[in-house]
Amino acid sequence: MEIKGTIVQITPVQTVGKNNFKKSSIWIETADQYPQTIEIEFVKEKADEIQSLSIGSNITVQIDIKGRKWTNPDGLTRVFNTIQGWKYASDF
């Protein structure tokens, strides 16, 4: 699946967990009739790589949608979704 849009934000790289897992994200605004702002997360070496992108650039991102269940201590179960980028190309 892919999303096309203009980069409006690039978040700094975060290192989380005891394994020093890296993640970062870009926000893109789509050019649809009703534009949407979508956050796309990148992990590992891609988190560092996207830091060289520029706000205002047009981009096409290949994505996977990931989801996971979590149950809190009170027994309430929720689902969290993530849009994860794995490949991108600038200037469509």
Short mmCIF file of all heavy atoms in Angstrom, two decimals, residues 1-2 5 7 12 14 16 19 24 27 30 34-35 39 46-47 50-54 56 58 60 65 69 71 78 80:
data_model
loop_
_atom_site.label_atom_id
_atom_site.label_comp_id
_atom_site.label_asym_id
_atom_site.label_seq_id
_atom_site.Cartn_x
_atom_site.Cartn_y
_atom_site.Cartn_z
N MET A 1 0.85 -1.15 0.00
CA MET A 1 0.00 0.00 0.00
C MET A 1 0.90 1.23 0.00
O MET A 1 2.01 1.19 0.52
CB MET A 1 -0.88 -0.06 1.26
CG MET A 1 -1.83 1.09 1.40
SD MET A 1 -2.79 0.92 2.92
CE MET A 1 -4.22 0.14 2.25
N GLU A 2 0.44 2.33 -0.60
CA GLU A 2 1.25 3.54 -0.61
C GLU A 2 0.41 4.77 -0.30
O GLU A 2 -0.80 4.77 -0.51
CB GLU A 2 2.00 3.71 -1.94
CG GLU A 2 1.13 4.09 -3.11
CD GLU A 2 1.92 4.28 -4.39
OE1 GLU A 2 3.00 3.68 -4.55
OE2 GLU A 2 1.45 5.03 -5.25
N GLY A 5 1.94 12.41 -0.60
CA GLY A 5 1.63 13.69 0.02
C GLY A 5 2.84 14.57 0.14
O GLY A 5 3.90 14.30 -0.41
N ILE A 7 5.44 16.52 2.85
CA ILE A 7 5.96 16.42 4.21
C ILE A 7 5.69 17.74 4.95
O ILE A 7 6.08 18.81 4.47
CB ILE A 7 7.47 16.12 4.22
CG1 ILE A 7 7.75 14.78 3.54
CG2 ILE A 7 8.01 16.12 5.65
CD1 ILE A 7 9.23 14.48 3.33
N PRO A 12 12.17 14.13 15.57
CA PRO A 12 13.53 13.67 15.89
C PRO A 12 13.55 12.17 16.16
O PRO A 12 12.54 11.58 16.54
CB PRO A 12 13.88 14.44 17.17
CG PRO A 12 12.88 15.53 17.28
CD PRO A 12 11.67 15.09 16.54
N GLN A 14 14.00 8.93 18.18
CA GLN A 14 13.88 8.53 19.57
C GLN A 14 14.50 7.16 19.74
O GLN A 14 14.32 6.29 18.87
CB GLN A 14 12.41 8.42 20.00
CG GLN A 14 11.66 9.71 20.05
CD GLN A 14 10.23 9.45 20.49
OE1 GLN A 14 9.57 8.55 20.00
NE2 GLN A 14 9.76 10.24 21.44
N VAL A 16 14.31 4.01 22.25
CA VAL A 16 13.44 3.51 23.32
C VAL A 16 13.81 2.09 23.71
O VAL A 16 14.36 1.34 22.90
CB VAL A 16 11.95 3.56 22.90
CG1 VAL A 16 11.47 4.98 22.74
CG2 VAL A 16 11.69 2.79 21.63
N ASN A 19 16.90 -2.20 24.36
CA ASN A 19 17.63 -2.61 23.15
C ASN A 19 17.99 -1.43 22.26
O ASN A 19 18.42 -1.62 21.13
CB ASN A 19 16.81 -3.63 22.36
CG ASN A 19 16.65 -4.93 23.11
OD1 ASN A 19 17.52 -5.30 23.89
ND2 ASN A 19 15.56 -5.62 22.90
N SER A 24 11.31 7.14 14.39
CA SER A 24 11.05 8.53 14.02
C SER A 24 9.85 8.51 13.09
O SER A 24 9.45 7.44 12.61
CB SER A 24 12.27 9.13 13.32
OG SER A 24 12.03 10.47 12.97
N TRP A 27 5.11 13.44 9.08
CA TRP A 27 3.70 13.73 8.87
C TRP A 27 3.59 14.18 7.43
O TRP A 27 4.34 15.05 6.99
CB TRP A 27 3.21 14.84 9.76
CG TRP A 27 3.31 14.57 11.23
CD1 TRP A 27 3.79 13.46 11.87
CD2 TRP A 27 2.91 15.47 12.27
NE1 TRP A 27 3.72 13.61 13.22
CE2 TRP A 27 3.18 14.85 13.49
CE3 TRP A 27 2.37 16.75 12.27
CZ2 TRP A 27 2.92 15.45 14.71
CZ3 TRP A 27 2.11 17.35 13.49
CH2 TRP A 27 2.37 16.69 14.68
N THR A 30 -2.01 14.79 2.50
CA THR A 30 -2.40 14.27 1.19
C THR A 30 -2.98 15.39 0.34
O THR A 30 -3.40 16.43 0.85
CB THR A 30 -3.45 13.14 1.34
OG1 THR A 30 -4.65 13.68 1.90
CG2 THR A 30 -2.92 12.00 2.20
N TYR A 34 -10.33 16.14 0.19
CA TYR A 34 -10.36 16.46 1.61
C TYR A 34 -9.02 16.03 2.21
O TYR A 34 -8.88 14.89 2.66
CB TYR A 34 -11.52 15.74 2.31
CG TYR A 34 -12.86 16.09 1.71
CD1 TYR A 34 -13.52 15.21 0.86
CD2 TYR A 34 -13.45 17.33 1.96
CE1 TYR A 34 -14.75 15.54 0.30
CE2 TYR A 34 -14.67 17.67 1.40
CZ TYR A 34 -15.31 16.77 0.57
OH TYR A 34 -16.52 17.11 0.01
N PRO A 35 -8.02 16.92 2.18
CA PRO A 35 -6.66 16.54 2.61
C PRO A 35 -6.63 15.99 4.04
O PRO A 35 -7.38 16.43 4.92
CB PRO A 35 -5.89 17.86 2.53
CG PRO A 35 -6.65 18.69 1.56
CD PRO A 35 -8.09 18.31 1.76
N GLU A 39 0.47 10.46 10.02
CA GLU A 39 1.78 10.21 10.61
C GLU A 39 2.25 8.82 10.19
O GLU A 39 1.52 7.84 10.35
CB GLU A 39 1.72 10.29 12.13
CG GLU A 39 3.07 10.06 12.78
CD GLU A 39 3.04 10.24 14.28
OE1 GLU A 39 1.96 10.13 14.90
OE2 GLU A 39 4.13 10.47 14.85
N LYS A 46 16.05 3.31 9.07
CA LYS A 46 15.19 4.25 8.33
C LYS A 46 14.86 5.48 9.17
O LYS A 46 14.63 6.56 8.64
CB LYS A 46 13.89 3.59 7.87
CG LYS A 46 14.08 2.51 6.83
CD LYS A 46 14.40 3.12 5.50
CE LYS A 46 14.48 2.04 4.43
NZ LYS A 46 14.91 2.55 3.16
N ALA A 47 14.85 5.34 10.51
CA ALA A 47 14.59 6.48 11.39
C ALA A 47 15.66 7.55 11.20
O ALA A 47 15.35 8.74 11.15
CB ALA A 47 14.54 6.02 12.85
N ILE A 50 15.43 9.19 7.35
CA ILE A 50 14.41 10.20 7.01
C ILE A 50 14.76 11.58 7.53
O ILE A 50 14.15 12.57 7.12
CB ILE A 50 13.00 9.80 7.47
CG1 ILE A 50 12.90 9.73 8.99
CG2 ILE A 50 12.56 8.51 6.79
CD1 ILE A 50 11.48 9.62 9.52
N GLN A 51 15.76 11.69 8.39
CA GLN A 51 16.17 12.99 8.91
C GLN A 51 16.72 13.89 7.81
O GLN A 51 16.75 15.10 7.94
CB GLN A 51 17.19 12.84 10.04
CG GLN A 51 16.68 12.08 11.25
CD GLN A 51 15.42 12.66 11.85
OE1 GLN A 51 15.37 13.83 12.21
NE2 GLN A 51 14.38 11.84 11.92
N SER A 52 17.14 13.30 6.68
CA SER A 52 17.68 14.08 5.57
C SER A 52 16.59 14.60 4.63
O SER A 52 16.87 15.36 3.70
CB SER A 52 18.69 13.25 4.77
OG SER A 52 18.05 12.15 4.17
N LEU A 53 15.32 14.21 4.87
CA LEU A 53 14.22 14.71 4.04
C LEU A 53 13.92 16.16 4.41
O LEU A 53 14.34 16.65 5.46
CB LEU A 53 12.97 13.85 4.25
CG LEU A 53 13.10 12.39 3.81
CD1 LEU A 53 11.86 11.60 4.23
CD2 LEU A 53 13.32 12.28 2.32
N SER A 54 13.17 16.85 3.55
CA SER A 54 12.86 18.26 3.77
C SER A 54 11.37 18.50 3.88
O SER A 54 10.59 17.95 3.08
CB SER A 54 13.40 19.11 2.62
OG SER A 54 14.79 18.97 2.51
N GLY A 56 8.04 20.20 3.13
CA GLY A 56 7.58 20.79 1.89
C GLY A 56 7.81 19.91 0.67
O GLY A 56 7.27 20.17 -0.40
N ASN A 58 7.45 16.70 -1.76
CA ASN A 58 6.45 15.70 -2.12
C ASN A 58 7.08 14.32 -1.99
O ASN A 58 8.25 14.13 -2.33
CB ASN A 58 5.94 15.92 -3.53
CG ASN A 58 5.15 17.19 -3.66
OD1 ASN A 58 4.47 17.59 -2.73
ND2 ASN A 58 5.22 17.83 -4.80
N THR A 60 6.24 9.79 -1.89
CA THR A 60 5.41 8.60 -1.96
C THR A 60 6.01 7.60 -0.99
O THR A 60 7.21 7.32 -1.05
CB THR A 60 5.41 8.00 -3.38
OG1 THR A 60 4.90 8.97 -4.29
CG2 THR A 60 4.56 6.75 -3.46
N ILE A 65 0.34 -1.48 7.64
CA ILE A 65 -0.47 -1.10 8.79
C ILE A 65 -0.33 -2.20 9.82
O ILE A 65 -0.56 -3.37 9.53
CB ILE A 65 -1.95 -0.90 8.38
CG1 ILE A 65 -2.04 0.24 7.36
CG2 ILE A 65 -2.80 -0.61 9.61
CD1 ILE A 65 -3.41 0.44 6.78
N LYS A 69 -3.06 -5.74 20.24
CA LYS A 69 -3.98 -5.66 21.38
C LYS A 69 -3.18 -5.45 22.66
O LYS A 69 -2.05 -5.94 22.78
CB LYS A 69 -4.79 -6.95 21.52
CG LYS A 69 -5.83 -7.13 20.48
CD LYS A 69 -6.82 -8.23 20.81
CE LYS A 69 -6.20 -9.56 21.04
NZ LYS A 69 -7.17 -10.64 21.27
N THR A 71 -4.07 -5.24 27.02
CA THR A 71 -5.04 -5.29 28.11
C THR A 71 -4.43 -4.62 29.33
O THR A 71 -3.33 -5.00 29.78
CB THR A 71 -5.42 -6.75 28.44
OG1 THR A 71 -5.91 -7.38 27.25
CG2 THR A 71 -6.49 -6.81 29.51
N ARG A 78 -7.64 -2.88 24.54
CA ARG A 78 -7.65 -1.87 23.48
C ARG A 78 -6.79 -2.36 22.33
O ARG A 78 -5.95 -3.24 22.50
CB ARG A 78 -7.07 -0.55 24.00
CG ARG A 78 -7.90 0.03 25.14
CD ARG A 78 -7.53 1.41 25.43
NE ARG A 78 -7.57 2.19 24.18
CZ ARG A 78 -7.40 3.48 24.13
NH1 ARG A 78 -7.17 4.15 25.21
NH2 ARG A 78 -7.44 4.13 22.99
N PHE A 80 -4.15 -0.86 19.34
CA PHE A 80 -3.35 0.27 18.88
C PHE A 80 -2.88 -0.03 17.46
O PHE A 80 -2.43 -1.14 17.17
CB PHE A 80 -2.13 0.46 19.79
CG PHE A 80 -2.49 0.91 21.18
CD1 PHE A 80 -2.69 -0.01 22.19
CD2 PHE A 80 -2.66 2.25 21.46
CE1 PHE A 80 -3.03 0.38 23.46
CE2 PHE A 80 -3.00 2.68 22.73
CZ PHE A 80 -3.19 1.73 23.73
#
